[in-house]
């Protein structure tokens, strides 16, 4: 592992791409350039999806391009070379089984078994962190109704009560096995209308398993209004009850869907009025949590350079050393390497989300990455520029 003690910047391409061969760098450049053309993505995606479903020979093409840039492999073992490579730069792997959108109980049981396999792999291997999506363990409709019951506007039917019990057992089992194996587990956040029940379950389990160290991290989406009081309450509870309140802090990925639903159903949008408000509250949440680091743990899941640098500055101000075990920075595989690698080389804890799963099942994830990279023109432009500069530096 190379450690460079120097002034931290996110523009050192030599560090950011040290583990990329010239070939990999060229491939990334071509990929990001292609993703600039949104019409290409919107036209190409359905064609590729159909071709995959018809089992036409496109899998190899997808696997050697966009899949190998953004994903670790089709199963846990295939991800291990990526884990090795990341770790050689001091970066941990968050193994993210990215198969989405099932409604079947047998699929929920299969997902549970897959997450338990990740936990098994991560036992005695501190490079690996586990993560799961609540909708991988129970249907979104069930969770929506369970939230309504929590708010007193709905009563679960007998069948739903049984389904919910099974969901709860799967959720609890992952957390218990992670605790017993000494593994950290993140709970992803999804749509706001299923979040209350997930939040309350996560807090319950943190009280049990986060006594000695942060084992379970729940995700808070700062694009939602009213999250700062939620964080303060969680922190108060942790102080009073002697556990670590562990939060993966993100901005949030379902903005359009949230706004559209609120408009359609006629309730106030749960999303901040503008990007500035999201940014402000994200940074304030970092301050609240970092200033109470004896009782809190943070995973800053962001590609935003300002927020990342903000957390670095808060750590300096609070006298928190870069490698403090309760603070970790995280980005997605194939994105913002300039942040991940430069942080890691200055001694900060960093982990990459490494999505994996069969190519066809991971396709929606790949599509989101491609669409995101056409719409976030600023970040995409920066990504492309960094790769371009590094290619030029190597040539000279
Ligand atoms: C490691 C990691 C884990 C993640 N886990 C989750 C998860 O569990 N759940 C989840 O929902 N997302 C998750 N995300 C995605 C995340 O929520 C963001 O969508 C994504 O990272 C972009 O935000 P940013 O902070 O990186 O950067 P930026 O580019 O600075 O922010 C973009 C984000 O700002 C917000 N935003 C943009 N425009 C507006 C506007 N007009 N008004 C209000 N807000 C606005 C949106 O949230 C948008 O995604 C994760 C991301 C990472 C890196």
């Amino acid at each position: 592992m190379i450690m460079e003690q120097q002034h931290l910047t996110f523009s050192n391409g030599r560090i950011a791409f040290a583990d990329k061969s010239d070939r990999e760098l060229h491939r990334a450049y071509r990929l990001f350039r292609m993703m600039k053309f949104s019409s290409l993505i919107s036209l190409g995606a359905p064609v590729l999806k159909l071709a995959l479903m018809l089992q036409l020979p496109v899998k190899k093409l997808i696997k050697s391009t966009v899949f190998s840039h953004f994903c670790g492999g089709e199963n846990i073992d295939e991800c291990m070379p990526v884990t090795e490579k990341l770790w050689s730069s001091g970066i941990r792997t968050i193994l993210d089984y990215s198969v989405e959108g099932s409604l079947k109980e047998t699929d929920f049981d299969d997902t549970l078994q897959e997450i338990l396999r990740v936990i098994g792999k991560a036992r005695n291997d501190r490079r690996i962190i586990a993560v799961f999506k609540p909708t991988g363990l129970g249907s979104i409709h069930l969770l929506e109704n369970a939230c309504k019951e929590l708010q007193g506007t709905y009563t679960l039917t007998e069948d739903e009560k049984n389904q919910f019990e099974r969901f709860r057992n799967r959720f609890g089992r992952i957390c218990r096995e992670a605790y017993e194996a000494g593994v950290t587990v993140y709970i992803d956040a999804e749509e706001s209308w299923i979040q209350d029940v997930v939040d309350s379950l996560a807090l319950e389990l943190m009280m049990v398993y986060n006594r000695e160290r942060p084992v379970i991290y729940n995700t808070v989406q700062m694009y939602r209004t009213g999250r700062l009081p939620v964080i303060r309450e969680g922190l108060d509870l942790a102080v009073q009850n002697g556990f670590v309140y562990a939060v993966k802090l993100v901005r949030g990925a379902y903005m359009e869907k949230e706004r559209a639903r609120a408009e359609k159903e006629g309730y106030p949008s749960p999303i901040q009025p503008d990007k500035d408000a999201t940014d402000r509250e994200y940074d304030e949440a970092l301050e609240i949590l970092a200033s109470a680091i004896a009782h809190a743990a943070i995973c800053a899941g962001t590609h935003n350079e300002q927020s990342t640098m903000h957390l670095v500055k808060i750590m300096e101000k609070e006298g928190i050393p870069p490698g403090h075990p309760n603070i970790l920075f995280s980005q997605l595989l194939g994105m913002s390497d300039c942040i991940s690698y430069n942080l890691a080389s200055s001694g900060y804890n960093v982990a990459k989300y490494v999505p994996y799963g069969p190519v066809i099942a991971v396709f929606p994830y790949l599509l989101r990455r491609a669409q995101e990279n056409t719409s976030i023109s600023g970040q995409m432009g920066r990504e492309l520029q960094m790769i371009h500069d590094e290619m030029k530096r190597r040539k000279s």
Side-chain angles (χ1 to χ4, degrees):
M1 188 194 316
I2 319 153
M3 284 273 262
E4 290 211 0
Q5 280 310 326
Q6 57 179 27
H7 179 64
L8 175 67
T9 76
F10 299 136
S11 46
N12 188 330
R14 189 176 52 80
I15 294 177
F17 303 112
D19 69 358
K20 304 272 179 302
S21 65
D22 289 351
R23 204 164 151 251
E24 286 169 320
L25 214 54
H26 274 96
R27 191 189 60 198
Y29 184 71
R30 280 197 303 271
L31 203 64
F32 278 103
R33 252 180 62 145
M34 194 184 72
M35 288 189 300
K36 257 171 93 171
F37 302 103
S38 53
S39 48
L40 201 69
I41 301 296
S42 38
L43 287 174
V47 176
L48 277 179
K49 191 169 182 192
L50 186 68
L52 269 177
M53 276 159 41
L54 296 174
Q55 297 188 331
L56 296 177
V58 289
K59 187 174 152 184
K60 214 170 151 198
L61 172 76
I62 299 175
K63 221 176 159 183
S64 64
T65 53
V66 67
F67 184 92
S68 67
H69 185 80
F70 290 115
C71 296
E74 293 201 69
N75 54 49
I76 297 174
D77 286 338
E78 271 187 32
C79 294
M80 287 306 108
V82 175
T83 298
E84 289 283 344
K85 199 169 174 184
L86 289 171
W87 186 242
S88 66
S89 297
I91 297 173
R92 297 168 76 188
T93 289
I94 303 167
L95 271 183
D96 178 21
Y97 181 56
S98 290
V99 175
E100 308 178 356
S102 175
L103 297 172
K104 289 202 300 229
E105 290 288 312
T106 47
D107 288 345
F108 300 142
D109 286 333
D110 289 348
T111 301
L112 166 70
Q113 291 309 321
E114 185 63 31
I115 310 297
L116 295 180
R117 275 194 285 278
V118 171
I119 291 171
K121 190 83 184 171
R123 180 190 289 268
N124 302 324
D125 188 344
R126 63 177 295 268
R127 299 174 307 177
I128 301 173
I129 293 170
V131 64
F132 69 94
K133 277 195 171 34
T135 54
L137 305 178
S139 90
I140 187 158
H141 307 298
L142 171 73
L143 300 185
E144 183 177 357
N145 285 343
C147 279
K148 288 185 188 154
E149 186 170 73
L150 213 59
Q151 291 145 9
T153 59
Y154 182 84
T155 307
L156 291 181
T157 63
E158 274 313 305
D159 187 36
E160 284 174 327
K161 275 185 192 153
N162 292 332
Q163 283 179 45
F164 189 71
E165 207 38 43
R166 288 196 291 273
F167 166 77
R168 224 183 128 85
N169 286 339
R170 293 180 190 113
F171 201 108
R173 181 150 170 221
I174 289 174
C175 295
R176 191 189 72 234
E177 293 210 9
Y179 171 78
E180 288 169 358
V183 172
T184 300
V185 64
Y186 293 163
I187 303 163
D188 274 350
E190 298 171 86
E191 290 84 349
S192 62
W193 53 94
I194 64 164
Q195 213 45 56
D196 284 356
V197 75
V198 172
D199 291 349
S200 83
L201 208 49
L203 208 51
E204 225 175 79
L205 291 160
M206 273 191 221
M207 279 194 219
V208 180
Y209 298 121
N210 285 12
R211 300 226 153 245
E212 300 110 43
R213 70 168 193 98
V215 174
I216 296 150
Y217 284 67
N218 193 28
T219 301
V220 180
Q221 298 156 312
M222 297 312 297
Y223 70 179
R224 285 183 62 188
T225 52
R227 294 306 93 188
L228 292 176
V230 168
I231 289 175
R232 288 199 182 94
E233 271 167 37
L235 208 45
D236 285 348
L237 212 62
V239 173
Q240 286 155 21
N241 293 279
F243 69 95
V244 182
Y245 180 56
V247 176
K248 169 155 68 78
L249 212 59
V250 301
R251 281 180 168 76
Y254 308 87
M255 187 171 72
E256 283 86 13
K257 199 171 173 187
E258 290 281 354
R259 284 183 170 149
R261 185 180 191 261
E263 199 177 318
K264 186 167 166 234
E265 299 198 3
Y267 60 86
S269 168
I271 303 298
Q272 303 280 5
D274 51 38
K275 172 82 162 58
D276 277 354
T278 301
D279 291 350
R280 225 177 12 254
E281 298 219 343
Y282 188 94
D283 289 354
E284 194 173 338
L286 289 175
E287 285 160 31
I288 295 170
L289 290 164
S291 62
I293 206 64
H295 307 281
I298 308 169
C299 165
T302 181
H303 299 136
N304 183 300
E305 292 186 11
Q306 282 76 31
S307 290
T308 305
M309 195 50 94
H310 187 63
L311 180 53
V312 166
K313 296 282 173 224
I314 304 169
M315 290 171 75
E316 281 168 15
K317 185 171 146 247
E318 297 284 338
I320 302 171
H324 193 290
N326 288 19
I327 299 188
L328 181 137
F329 297 79
S330 185
Q331 290 77 40
L332 307 181
L333 186 73
M335 289 180 67
S336 295
D337 286 349
C338 48
I339 297 183
S340 314
Y341 285 75
N342 280 296
L343 278 170
S345 92
S346 291
Y348 292 89
N349 293 314
V350 181
K352 286 280 203 189
Y353 253 56
V354 176
Y356 74 93
V359 174
I360 184 142
V362 171
F363 197 74
Y365 174 86
L366 292 175
L367 197 58
R368 273 207 306 283
R369 290 293 74 78
Q371 283 161 346
E372 190 176 278
N373 281 303
T374 57
S375 60
I376 310 174
S377 54
Q379 178 60 29
M380 218 284 302
R382 178 143 174 72
E383 207 90 52
L384 198 58
Q385 189 61 47
M386 290 279 300
I387 298 171
H388 180 255
D389 290 351
E390 176 60 8
M391 281 163 41
K392 229 168 90 183
R393 191 193 67 81
R394 285 188 190 183
K395 248 191 203 156
S396 66

